C-alpha cells in the first residue's frame, strides 16, 4: 500500500473520531442546558409564590418613598423666571430644602500635569 493511502486512512479516522467526540459533547451540553433551564423555571415561575418581589425589592427608605409615590413635591425643571421672581419669599420654594450635615472637606495632594 502506498504511504499516501495510509495517511488518507489515518487522517479520515482521526477526523471521524473527533467528529464523534464533538457530537457526544454537544449532546451532553444541550442536556445540561435544558436541565439548567428547567431548574431556573422551577425556581422563578412557581405558581405558589404570593409575591415575586425578590428581583424588584427596595432596600432603602428613599427609594421606597419615591416608588410608592409619596414624594411631597414633584421635581420639575427650574426656569430663570422662577429664580429671578420678585415675589419669591424663600429660596426653598424653587430649589427645595438642602439637607446637609455640615461642610464637606476635601483633602489630598494635588499634583498638576506638566
Amino acid at each position: 500500500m502506498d504511504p499516501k493511502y495510509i495517511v488518507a486512512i489515518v487522517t479520515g479516522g482521526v477526523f471521524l473520531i473527533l467528529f464523534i467526540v464533538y457530537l457526544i459533547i454537544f449532546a451532553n451540553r444541550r442536556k445540561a442546558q435544558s436541565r439548567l433551564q428547567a431548574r431556573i423555571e422551577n425556581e422563578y415561575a412557581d405558581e405558589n409564590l404570593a409575591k415575586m418581589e425578590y428581583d424588584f425589592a427596595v432596600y432603602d427608605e428613599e427609594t421606597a418613598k419615591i416608588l410608592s409615590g409619596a414624594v411631597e413635591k414633584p421635581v420639575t425643571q427650574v426656569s430663570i423666571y422662577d429664580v429671578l421672581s420678585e415675589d419669591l419669599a424663600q429660596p426653598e420654594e424653587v430649589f427645595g430644602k438642602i439637607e446637609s450635615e455640615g461642610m464637606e472637606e476635601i483633602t489630598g495632594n494635588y499634583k498638576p500635569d506638566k
Side-chain angles (χ1 to χ4, degrees):
M1 216 182 225
D2 290 334
K4 63 181 178 181
Y5 296 120
I6 295 173
V7 170
I9 293 171
V10 171
T11 305
V14 169
F15 177 77
L16 185 63
I17 290 172
L18 289 176
F19 185 72
I20 292 171
V21 168
Y22 168 76
L23 289 177
I24 293 170
I25 291 174
F26 180 76
N28 284 340
R29 285 190 181 170
R30 180 169 261 184
K31 187 188 300 183
Q33 182 68 27
S34 66
R35 275 189 264 131
L36 177 65
Q37 189 67 30
R39 187 174 139 233
I40 288 173
E41 286 183 16
N42 285 338
E43 285 183 19
Y44 288 103
D46 190 11
E47 295 177 6
N48 295 330
L49 293 175
K51 291 193 274 183
M52 292 183 66
E53 255 182 30
Y54 43 85
D55 286 337
F56 313 108
V58 178
Y59 299 105
D60 61 338
E61 294 175 10
E62 181 180 356
T63 308
K65 185 177 178 184
I66 291 170
L67 291 177
S68 70
V71 178
E72 295 88 22
K73 184 177 179 183
V75 178
T76 59
Q77 185 173 353
V78 178
S79 69
I80 191 69
Y81 301 111
D82 293 334
V83 176
L84 297 176
S85 175
E86 295 281 333
D87 59 342
L88 191 62
Q90 299 280 342
E92 288 88 16
E93 292 178 12
V94 175
F95 299 109
K97 185 168 169 110
I98 299 172
E99 297 177 14
S100 64
E101 297 177 1
M103 188 174 220
E104 182 178 338
E105 182 178 341
I106 300 173
T107 59
N109 296 329
Y110 176 67
K111 296 177 183 175
D113 295 331
K114 293 183 180 181

